[in-house]
Each structure stands twice: as C-alpha cells, then as structure tokens.
Amino acid sequence: MPMVLVLMAVFCGANFVAMIFLTWMPSFLNSKFNMSLSMAGLNGTAWLQIASVLGVLTGGYLADRWVRRRASGRMLVQGLGLLAGVPFIFLTGNTLMVQVLVLSMIGFGFFKGFYDANIWASLYDGVQPARRATALGLMNSVGWFAGAAGPVAVGAASARLGMGACLSATSLAYLGFGALLLLG
C-alpha cells in the first residue's frame, strides 16, 4: 500500500506539470517567440504529443523487459522518464532559440511518454485484482484534480516571475517526483 501512495503522489506531480504545459505553452510561444496563435497552438502541442507517442512505445517495451528481472522495473522506467525530462523542461522555459525550444519540447514529450506508458501497469503491480478499478478511479481523480491546480498556480506566479521562469521551475517538480519514485 505505501508504494501505491507514492505512485499516486507522483501522478499528481506529473499531471501538475503536464497541465501547465498543455495550458500555457501556446500563450508562451505567442508572446516569447511571436508565433501566431495558430502556429503557437500547433507547436505547443504537436512536438510534445508526437514525441510522447514514441516515448510511450519505447517506455512500455523497456518496462516490460525490465520487470522480468526486477519487480520494480516499471517504476524504474517511470522514474528514469521523469528525471531524464528535467533538463528538457528547464530549457523549454529558458531558451531564446526556436530550434532549442523544439528539441526541448521533443525531449520532454519523449520522456513524459516513458512515465505515461507505465502509470496503470505500475499501479496494478501493487494492487490486488479485485481492487484495481477502485484504485485506478481514485488515482485518476486525485491526479487530475492536482493537475488542474498547475495552470492556476503558474498563471498567478507568471505575472510576477514571468512565464519562462515558471515553466522552467516545473522541472523541479519532475526532479522531486522522479527521485521520490526511485527512492520509493
């Protein structure tokens, strides 16, 4: 049961960051890089999501191989995904070059996929079959509720600190929750 609580806490943190990026990235691209709203909307989602699909496929395959050797294989892949995403998240908010921005969003999306591929499989590793639907519903509810707080928090903080700094600061959440997952 303690591992399930760790997985839920990490899911809250990962959703917090994901919702910030999905909500604020188009506005950030419009204001910092002078992209039209249509191009900012496309670039703010496409790079992350396409790379995430590749990350989900890679992370799922890798986790299924690792879990054969260690019971914690899926959670290790999740932790790796979060920690490897940290520099990409940080660069996304700090770069002044569009090329670096795109590579950063691709890197973040790819490693976000490593984490995402194993959310439910890791939960199921720690929950008996008769309770899995309840556990999934609870984790999903709590996780997305926490995720909804992210855009509100960044919206308020960005007026004082700037959107780039706020986006980069979310890398600390990925770092902390990635460490929690690996230590858990």
Side-chain angles (χ1 to χ4, degrees):
M1 183 61 161
M3 198 60 218
V4 170
L5 296 176
V6 168
L7 289 169
M8 285 188 181
V10 172
F11 187 59
C12 288
N15 284 352
F16 185 86
V17 174
M19 288 303 296
I20 289 167
F21 272 75
L22 291 173
T23 301
W24 288 110
M25 187 54 66
S27 177
F28 175 69
L29 296 178
N30 175 257
S31 64
K32 184 169 182 175
F33 295 98
N34 297 314
M35 291 184 188
S36 68
L37 286 177
S38 60
M39 287 307 294
L42 175 66
N43 283 292
T45 56
W47 300 114
L48 291 168
Q49 298 305 326
I50 292 168
S52 186
V53 168
L54 297 174
V56 166
L57 295 171
T58 305
Y61 174 78
L62 188 60
D64 284 343
R65 292 187 54 97
W66 284 12
V67 81
R68 291 181 200 150
R69 292 185 212 138
R70 300 181 76 146
S72 61
R74 287 186 180 89
M75 289 175 275
L76 290 172
V77 172
Q78 285 182 288
L80 173 67
L82 293 175
L83 294 176
V86 168
F88 296 108
I89 294 169
F90 182 80
L91 278 173
T92 298
N94 273 310
T95 188
L96 299 173
M97 298 171 48
V98 173
Q99 298 87 341
V100 173
L101 172 76
V102 169
L103 289 174
S104 297
M105 289 191 296
I106 289 170
F108 169 44
F110 182 77
F111 289 112
K112 178 184 177 308
F114 263 56
Y115 171 78
D116 288 347
N118 295 287
I119 294 168
W120 307 126
S122 291
L123 178 68
Y124 288 171
D125 285 346
V127 175
Q128 51 187 275
R131 299 183 187 262
R132 287 180 179 165
T134 301
L136 188 147
L138 179 63
M139 187 164 153
N140 221 3
S141 301
V142 171
W144 288 111
F145 185 74
V152 176
V154 164
S158 68
R160 185 163 193 221
L161 304 172
M163 184 60 69
C166 289
L167 290 174
S168 290
T170 65
S171 65
L172 295 174
Y174 249 49
L175 179 63
F177 286 106
L180 175 64
L181 192 57
L182 292 180
L183 295 173

